[in-house]
């Protein structure tokens, strides 16, 4: 579609309905660009397409790129005849900076144009878009746009340096630059002659890529062995900046390859000298060189340097002044003889060990003595400091201790030969001096005389030790009044090590010394016993002692509680002290915590010297949970809990209860003894009851049994043994009714000889009627518990009984319990 009619068509109306809304404004996109708009951006209009090839609005700015914070001026011109359907009276021009609305000054321009001018006094944005808008039918349409940018001129490059690589002879330069606020182009400029510099005809040697700060000038642009000027130029829309100019000969900034060490050997007869053989690299063999050699031993932290070695020193270099018997490492490097030249890398290291000679050390020794064997001998514990590696002149093989110095013609009396720095030996009482020497493979040092002084001097006062770091202690003391030659500070870890530390001592020389710093063997959280001995001219003073920590922390564990005793209101607790190696500091206090089931928590502070505590004010028969906390100056550690239950009674109350029960028991025993001895009381409480088991009733039989048998043919019964007899007594005041026909008096019993009276006799109660005397009445008032002795025969005299009464008598209870004459059948009772 190339053209639209003047009047609104259906297609035109559809386009209006499909307009996009941007910030509440309607915008129509037309295919022709707006005249005068930067970038050829399309014109925004609601009118039909203009018939000409130019747009209806144009926007111009004085400069699209300005310094940050400076003013920006813009102008927007609109021609109504070029905007179809838009009357000049209807033109209203507005401004928009990104999304911020701005107000301009609108006026009529020449040739029927409407102008709007806008000035931004301070443009503080790095980048923004400025829009020109037309207001029509309550809407605003964007018709023109300009891109605005702000920033700073380029920063001046600095720290320019160049280096020539001999592998390709390219000159690599690098520099430092600040941040760029605007697009900036950077180039490395080169000028080989003064005319080029004055005419400004410098060559661009190279340009960095991707914002890098280095580039390489190729060999074809370089003039070797001639001076050149090199600088960096940075340019953007606001200006140009150049670095300081570097005037160099490319060969002066060449980095050479490292030389090679060929051999290093000690010189015979000169134990402190070596010969160093070396050669330059092949690429620099034809150049004038300046080299330097460095060396060090493993004991030295820094390198020693031998400078100004020229190429003329090849192929060997002689050096002296080295320590004997010491291993050294050597390295060499070279450069061009120019201040701006670059050193080559250090050559690979090469090692050599110098020759040894006898040690030249005077050993520093310390001792302690103790008399043994009833004072006839003395035990000496001698310790000494190992000599420095400078004095050892090689690797030491050991030490010798002798009681006498070496004399011509005979060797000394050696009491100790060891590779350690301590020795214990026994010497005769009165030994005042010993002699100490060190030896290696080359010989033995001069003897060091050690005078064993007695400890008789005055002790120090005011000794204290404070931390000077995690691994050091500062020991301070007051100067004694006497003339002091020096001090010896000794320290020992607690608990003591299996072997006494031979290096845990140091000598403080000078009479005015009042402090010493201990560094050797000090570890944090460990206790050390520190002793200081004053040294006098002819004696050693008594030592002063103190314990110290270089650093403290909470104990590793708390002590374990033990229950010593408990009562209803208090409990006595005890605990063992924490081992010293687990205390991690000085114990300042113990804290006891206890709580019952209702969460009533109480606590008590216990001094560190105590190992027990009595918890009071407890409730009887109550469960308590108790634990202990051990504290140092740096913190505390809780121990495990102990569960205890208080008693119902105290020990005194329990003892009183047992004592009362014992007294009651004793009283009861006494009363029983008293009743046993007093017959009257005994009879009143316990009447005498005959024992039927020992009764002689069993040997008694009725006298009727001694008469001749009444019935012929019957055998005469033998003596009867009565196993159980119960005698019925009559009630008081009542008589037993006798038979109406000629009663006979009761028949007695006689004892049969030869019959055992020890047979058991039972209590029997017989109720029944006399078959001869008629029915008998049961006595009233009789008691089965009442004794039945003396016995009474209630049977009448024997008579002829009717046969009808024999059978019932067989079932009489009394007769069932009697055994007469050893009869086996109950019917034998018919003979009665």
């Amino acid at each position: 579609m190339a053209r639209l009619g003047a009047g609104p068509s259906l297609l035109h109306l559809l386009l209006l309905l499909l307009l996009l809304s941007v910030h509440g404004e309607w915008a129509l996109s037309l295919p022709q660009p707006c005249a005068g708009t930067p970038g050829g951006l399309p014109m925004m209009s609601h009118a039909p397409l203009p018939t000409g090839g130019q747009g209806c609005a144009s926007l111009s700015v004085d400069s699209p790129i300005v310094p940050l914070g400076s003013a920006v001026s813009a102008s927007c011109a609109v021609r109504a005849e070029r905007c179809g359907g838009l009357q000049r009276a209807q033109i209203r021009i507005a401004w928009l900076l990104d999304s911020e609305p701005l107000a301009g000054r609108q006026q009529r321009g020449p040739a029927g144009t409407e102008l709007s001018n806008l000035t931004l006094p301070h443009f503080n944005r790095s980048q923004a878009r400025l829009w020109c808008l037309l207001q029509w039918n309550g809407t605003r349409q964007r018709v023109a746009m300009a891109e605005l940018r702000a920033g700073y001129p380029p920063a001046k490059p600095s720290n320019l340096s160049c280096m020539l690589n001999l592998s390709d002879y390219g000159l690599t330069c690098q520099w430092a630059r600040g941040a760029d606020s605007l697009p900036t182009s950077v180039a490395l400029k080169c000028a080989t002659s003064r005319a080029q510099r004055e005419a400004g005809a410098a060559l661009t040697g190279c340009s960095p890529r991707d914002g890098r700060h280095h580039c390489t000038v190729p060999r074809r642009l370089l003039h070797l062995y001639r001076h050149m000027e090199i600088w960096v130029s940075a340019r953007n829309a606001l200006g140009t900046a150049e670095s300081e100019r570097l005037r160099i000969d490319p060969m002066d900034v060449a980095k050479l390859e490292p030389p090679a060490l060929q051999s290093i050997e000690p010189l015979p007869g000169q134990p402190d000298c070596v010969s160093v053989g070396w050669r330059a690299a092949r690429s620099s063999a034809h150049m004038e060189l300046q080299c330097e050699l460095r060396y060090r031993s493993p004991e030295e932290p820094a390198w020693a340097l031998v400078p100004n070695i020229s190429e003329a020193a090849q192929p060997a270099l002689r050096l002296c002044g080295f320590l004997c018997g010491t291993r050294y490492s050597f390295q060499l490097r070279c450069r061009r003889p120019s201040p701006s030249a670059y050193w080559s890398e250090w050559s690979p290291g090469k090692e050599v060990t110098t020759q040894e000679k006898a040690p030249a050390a005077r050993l520093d020794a310390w001792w302690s003595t103790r008399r043994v064997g009833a004072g006839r001998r003395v035990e000496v514990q001698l310790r000494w400091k190992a000599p420095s590696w400078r004095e050892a002149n090689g690797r030491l093989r050991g030490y010798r201790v002798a009681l006498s110095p070496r004399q011509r013609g005979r060797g000394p009396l050696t009491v100790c030969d060891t590779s350690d720095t301590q020795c214990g030996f026994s010497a005769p009482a009165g030994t005042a001096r010993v002699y100490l020497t060190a030896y290696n493979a080359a010989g033995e040092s001069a003897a060091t005389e050690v005078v064993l002084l007695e400890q008789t001097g005055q002790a120090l006062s005011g000794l204290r030790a404070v931390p000077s770091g995690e691994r050091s202690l500062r020991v301070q003391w007051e100067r004694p009044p006497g003339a002091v030659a020096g001090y010896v500070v000794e320290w020992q870890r607690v608990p003591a090590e299996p072997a006494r530390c031979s290096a845990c001592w140091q000598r403080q020389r000078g009479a005015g010394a009042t402090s010493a710093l201990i560094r050797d063997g000090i570890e944090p959280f460990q206790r050390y016993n520190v002793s200081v001995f004053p040294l006098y001219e002819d004696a050693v003073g008594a030592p002063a002692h103190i314990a110290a920590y270089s650093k403290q922390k909470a104990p590793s564990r708390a002590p374990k509680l033990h229950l010593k005793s408990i009562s209803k209101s208090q409990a006595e607790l005890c605990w063992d002290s924490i081992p010293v190696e687990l205390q991690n500091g000085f114990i300042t206090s113990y804290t006891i915590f206890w709580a019952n089931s209702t969460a009533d928590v109480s606590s008590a502070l216990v001094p560190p010297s105590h190992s027990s505590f009595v918890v009071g004010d407890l409730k009887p028969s109550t469960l308590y949970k108790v634990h202990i906390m051990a504290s140092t100056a740096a913190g505390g550690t809780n121990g495990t809990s102990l569960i205890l239950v208080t008693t119902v009674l105290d020990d005194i109350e329990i003892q009183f209860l047992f004592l009362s029960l014992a007294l009651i028991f004793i009283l009861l025993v006494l009363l029983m003894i008293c009743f046993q001895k007093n017959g009257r009381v005994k009879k009143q409480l316990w009447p005498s009851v005959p024992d039927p088991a020992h009764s002689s009733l069993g040997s008694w039989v009725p006298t009727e049994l001694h008469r001749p048998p009444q019935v012929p043919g019957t055998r005469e019964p033998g003596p009867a043994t009565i196993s159980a007899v119960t005698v019925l007594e009559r009630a008081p005041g009542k008589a037993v009714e006798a038979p109406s026909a000629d009663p006979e008096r009761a028949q007695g019993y006689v004892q049969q000889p030869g019959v055992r009276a020890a047979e058991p006799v039972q209590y029997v109660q017989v109720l029944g009627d006399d078959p001869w005397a008629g029915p008998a009445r049961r006595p009233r008032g009789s008691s089965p518990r009442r004794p039945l002795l003396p016995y009474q025969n209630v049977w009448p005299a024997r008579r002829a009984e009717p046969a009808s009464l024999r059978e019932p008598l067989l079932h009489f209870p009394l007769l069932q319990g009697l055994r007469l004459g050893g009869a086996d059948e109950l019917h034998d009772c018919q003979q009665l």
Side-chain angles (χ1 to χ4, degrees), residues 30 32 99 175 208 313 333 359 578 679 733 750 775 778:
L30 301 179
Q32 295 181 351
S99 59
W175 57 90
R333 68 178 181 178
I578 307 173
V750 296
R778 177 179 178 179

Side-chain angles (χ1 to χ4, degrees), residues 305-376:
L305 195 65
V306 181
N308 300 326
I309 301 174
S310 66
E311 73 280 359
Q314 300 180 80
L317 177 66
R318 178 180 175 181
L319 300 174
C320 294
F322 295 95
L323 299 175
C324 299
T326 306
R327 182 168 57 90
Y328 287 93
S329 177
F330 292 82
Q331 286 182 322
L332 182 68
R333 68 178 181 178
C334 298
R335 71 174 181 177
R336 291 267 297 168
S338 172
S340 59
Y342 289 95
W343 286 102
S344 69
E345 299 294 336
W346 289 103
S347 67
K350 201 171 187 64
E351 294 184 349
V352 67
T353 301
T354 58
Q355 297 179 0
E356 294 185 354
K357 71 177 182 180
R362 179 176 178 82
L363 303 177
D364 188 11
W366 175 242
W367 70 94
S368 61
T369 59
R370 183 171 64 92
R371 291 185 177 273
V372 294
R376 294 188 298 270

